[in-house]
Amino acid sequence: MRPDLQRFLADRIDEITAEVAGEVTARVPAYTHLRPGEISNLVREAIAAYSGACEARAVLPVFRALGASEACAGHDVGHFESALRTAARVLVRRTAGAAARLYPPTAEFIAVMETAFTAESEIVGAAVDSYRRAARPAVARRLHPLLSDN
């Protein structure tokens, strides 16, 4: 665990959240409705995993719920995944900057970045998988009337 890294990032949570919201709205037009207040908890959870303050699997339920809610809202999975990856790039960049400041190029820096990349992969994967699982019943409900009329 790297509490100094997590604390460093947490102290900048508002700034990081604003950057995430700005990047996502700039790169994924379908998500121009995002506001920092709406995503601050997600950023906080991701930072905990990226910094190694907790295992990525500890925050996955939050991102699975996000994926399911995006599916239920009818948002496009491609846009959703693009938004997640855009946010992840910001968080990886911020984590790398903080790690470089706290741990000059050493094995510790490399370990931090491995943790961040692993967390990114697990979080995005869980959210998209949850989206797809939640979308299946909706597709089945739409197809059922079409198939049962014959």
Side-chain angles (χ1 to χ4, degrees), residues 61-110:
V62 171
F63 291 94
R64 285 188 182 110
L66 174 65
S69 71
E70 290 296 293
C72 291
H75 295 144
D76 179 86
V77 70
H79 295 149
F80 175 58
E81 186 171 3
S82 292
L84 286 171
R85 293 197 183 281
T86 298
R89 278 193 297 276
V90 171
L91 294 173
V92 164
R93 186 172 58 239
R94 286 304 201 111
T95 302
R101 182 176 175 162
L102 296 170
Y103 318 110
T106 63
E108 183 67 15
F109 175 83
I110 292 167

Side-chain angles (χ1 to χ4, degrees), residues 131-143:
Y131 177 102
R132 289 190 173 122
R133 288 175 189 267
R136 283 186 199 131
V139 170
R141 280 192 304 275
R142 287 192 303 266
L143 289 177

